[in-house]
Amino acid sequence: MTLVDKEIGRTLRASTEGFVVGCRVEQLTSSFGDLVKAKLNETDVVYGLIYKIDIDDDPLVRRLVLLDGLEPAMIEDQRQNRLVPIEMSVLAVGYNMNGRLQHGLSMRPPLSLDPAFLCSDLNEIKDFTNDLGYLRMITRADPTKVPIDQLLITHIRNLCQQRGEHQWAASAIQEVIELLRHDYQTLVPILETLSHTLPQLADTSQQ
């Protein structure tokens, strides 16, 4: 792990297709669409994109919401000391094993309580996203579980800002067009939204 890696929680459950990370309120620093990684051992990791964040209730919360004049201190105490974790669902899109970076599914998923980290090192982010092959993992995800269009939109927009490279975003959009060329119902809203959020790329997305 690099010096900038920040632990965002630990694995609750996993499969080769993805994993779910649990964390406390104060650990919730990552967001929908972020590139994260789960540690398999001292050197190997599985990479994924957050596609869902769940904040479940518990019996105490159900009682507290019925109270009038709920004190801020009570809310803060519940948030800091609640035993029900926030859950982040992650779609696996690649891995690094034995120093070799690959896009696709790893041979094994992380185990319960393996730590997960937000990818914050720009060099690592670039290394993983220079090759756009991982976008295929998003477009082939189960649409009943993963909001494919919103995940693509958010991820491309965020990566464009992180990398500071409009050319990367333009290439990513072209890759998405190729991957979804037979699925206009999904593709058109993605291009329309990106043309508004990244207007400098509007001409590219309309090609």
Side-chain angles (χ1 to χ4, degrees):
M1 300 298 107
T2 68
L3 294 177
V4 296
D5 287 332
K6 183 173 184 179
E7 185 172 321
I8 60 171
R10 290 186 175 269
T11 304
L12 292 174
R13 51 190 178 275
S15 71
T16 52
E17 296 178 344
F19 50 94
V20 176
V21 177
C23 74
R24 298 177 64 87
V25 172
E26 64 269 21
Q27 287 181 291
L28 188 60
T29 56
S30 47
S31 306
F32 176 79
D34 280 348
L35 180 66
V36 300
K37 58 189 175 184
K39 191 174 180 181
L40 300 177
N41 52 45
E42 289 303 315
T43 59
D44 301 339
V45 298
V46 174
Y47 290 97
L49 299 176
I50 297 175
Y51 69 86
K52 184 181 180 183
I53 299 177
D54 290 306
I55 303 175
D56 291 332
D57 63 358
D58 57 40
L60 179 56
V61 168
R62 294 180 186 181
R63 292 196 296 270
L64 289 176
V65 297
L66 299 177
L67 295 178
D68 292 327
L70 188 59
E71 295 292 333
M74 296 176 64
I75 297 175
E76 187 65 19
D77 178 71
Q78 169 61 15
R79 287 178 176 173
Q80 297 301 323
N81 298 311
R82 71 197 306 265
L83 296 178
V84 180
I86 295 172
E87 296 187 3
M88 294 174 283
S89 298
V90 179
L91 175 70
V93 293
Y95 57 94
N96 190 325
M97 290 189 177
N98 300 318
R100 186 178 181 185
L101 186 63
Q102 295 284 333
H103 295 151
L105 301 180
S106 65
M107 291 183 290
R108 74 168 181 87
L111 301 177
S112 297
L113 299 181
D114 277 344
F117 302 84
L118 175 66
C119 293
S120 303
D121 185 331
L122 185 57
N123 289 327
E124 180 180 25
I125 292 172
K126 287 184 175 182
D127 286 343
F128 187 84
T129 60
N130 280 339
D131 183 339
L132 297 169
Y134 74 97
L135 295 177
R136 185 180 301 274
M137 303 298 294
I138 305 175
T139 60
R140 290 184 173 180
D142 183 348
T144 65
K145 297 179 180 179
V146 179
I148 294 172
D149 55 347
Q150 294 302 313
L151 183 57
L152 284 167
I153 290 167
T154 302
H155 177 65
I156 291 174
R157 182 185 62 215
N158 291 351
L159 260 290
C160 180
Q161 295 173 350
Q162 284 181 295
R163 293 176 62 109
E165 302 169 1
H166 292 147
Q167 183 55 49
W168 177 89
S171 298
I173 290 173
Q174 288 300 320
E175 181 72 10
V176 169
I177 291 173
E178 178 64 22
L179 292 170
L180 296 175
R181 65 185 184 279
H182 299 308
D183 185 2
Y184 286 101
Q185 186 174 357
T186 302
L187 177 60
V188 172
I190 291 174
L191 298 183
E192 290 177 344
T193 302
L194 286 174
S195 69
H196 285 90
T197 58
L198 298 173
Q200 65 273 26
L201 301 177
D203 293 339
T204 299
S205 64
Q206 292 174 359
Q207 291 179 357

